[in-house]
Amino acid sequence: GDGASLSRSFERSGAFPPLLVDLLRVGEQTGQMAESLAKAAKRFDKELNRRISKISAVIQPAMVVLMALLIGTMAYIMITIIYDTISLLRTR
């Protein structure tokens, strides 16, 4: 490397969130990199769990509606076939 700090390299890459870069910079300045990275991991883990909860809250009702439509369609098809069969037998 060119001797730049880790936080500066992270910042230049543009691939990391500003919060992570800031926490990394604080860890470098205070000499507590492990604690800063652990704090960042906890924060990003909470954010991930929050996003998963939001996505799950949307997907669950959609799945219920989809299953209801599939079951309703299958029931309609079965009843129609039974009705048609009974009608066919009556005409004989």
Side-chain angles (χ1 to χ4, degrees), residues 4 9 12 20-21 40 49 52 65 68 83 88:
S9 298
R12 276 193 213 141
L20 177 61
V21 175
N49 287 335
I52 288 173
V65 169
Y83 179 75
L88 185 67

Side-chain angles (χ1 to χ4, degrees), residues 27-70:
E28 288 172 341
Q29 292 170 354
T30 60
Q32 297 178 335
M33 283 285 273
E35 290 85 352
S36 289
L37 290 175
K39 206 178 278 188
K42 283 182 186 176
R43 184 166 278 170
F44 286 114
D45 194 39
K46 281 182 187 176
E47 180 65 28
L48 178 64
N49 287 335
R50 195 170 22 249
R51 287 183 183 187
I52 288 173
S53 295
K54 285 181 183 178
I55 290 171
S56 177
V58 171
I59 288 176
Q60 286 176 352
M63 289 297 290
V64 169
V65 169
L66 179 66
M67 292 301 288
L69 287 173
L70 287 174

